[in-house]
Amino acid sequence: MSVPVPMRSESKLEVQQRCEELVTHTIHITSNPNVFDPKYQAFINRVVDTALDVGQSVWDANGIMVRDAADYRERRRLQEFAIRQANVLLYQMTIAKKLFHLRGGKYRAWVEKARAAKAFARKWRDSDARRYGHLIRDAD
C-alpha cells in the first residue's frame, strides 16, 4: 500500500537531487560568455563556488550516519551552512541579474532552483531535529 501524496515526506535523496540541479544549472548558465561577460570572471567564480558549497554541504551532511550528539551536531552544522549559502547565492543572483541584464524567464528559473534547494534543505534539517534533537537534549 502506498502513502498518499499529501502525507509523503521529502527524502534526503531529493534534497541532493535539487542541489545537484542547482549546481549544474549554475555552472551551465554562467559558462555562457555571451551572457556572463568574462571580464567579471571573479564574480562568476564566486557564484559557482557558492552553488558548489550548497551541493557539497548537503552531500557531506547526507553522508553522516547519526549515532550520537556529535554526529547530529556536525550534520546539522552542514545543513545550516547549505541553507545560508543558498541564501548567499540568491543575493548573488540578484546582483547577476542587474550586472548581466538577465532575462526574466532565465532569472526566475535559476532563482526557483535555488529556492527549492533551500526549502528542501530546511525541511530536511527540521525533520532531523524532530528525529535526533533528543540526542542533544540528553547530552546536556
Side-chain angles (χ1 to χ4, degrees):
M1 205 159 140
S2 65
V3 177
V5 173
M7 297 179 72
R8 293 180 190 164
S9 63
E10 316 306 346
S11 73
K12 291 176 279 193
L13 180 59
E14 191 162 358
V15 174
Q16 275 187 236
Q17 289 171 339
R18 296 294 178 123
C19 290
E20 287 170 9
E21 287 174 17
L22 172 63
V23 171
T24 56
H25 186 76
T26 300
I27 292 169
H28 177 74
I29 66 168
T30 58
S31 66
N32 182 348
N34 296 325
V35 178
F36 287 83
D37 189 339
K39 78 178 180 183
Y40 297 106
Q41 195 60 50
F43 174 73
I44 295 165
N45 291 345
R46 285 187 66 179
V47 170
V48 170
D49 287 346
T50 302
L52 285 166
D53 284 346
V54 173
Q56 185 67 52
S57 297
V58 166
W59 181 274
D60 289 347
N62 193 39
I64 296 174
M65 169 101 44
V66 177
R67 292 184 208 95
D68 56 27
D71 291 339
Y72 173 57
R73 281 187 180 100
E74 179 60 11
R75 183 155 141 163
R76 184 171 178 100
R77 184 190 69 76
L78 289 165
Q79 289 167 332
E80 289 181 352
F81 181 72
I83 293 164
R84 281 192 309 275
Q85 290 304 97
N87 200 52
V88 169
L89 183 59
L90 285 164
Y91 169 71
Q92 291 170 338
M93 288 174 177
T94 62
I95 300 303
K97 181 179 191 289
K98 294 174 184 172
L99 189 62
F100 302 111
H101 309 288
L102 299 180
R103 294 188 323 262
K106 180 178 289 223
Y107 173 72
R108 279 191 296 278
W110 191 21
V111 165
E112 270 311 303
K113 290 185 184 306
R115 285 183 179 158
K118 182 178 173 183
F120 275 82
R122 279 182 169 168
K123 287 178 187 177
W124 180 34
R125 178 202 58 197
D126 295 346
S127 172
D128 271 8
R130 289 187 295 277
R131 185 174 180 188
Y132 300 120
H134 71 280
L135 293 172
I136 292 176
R137 289 188 298 276
D138 294 349
D140 293 339

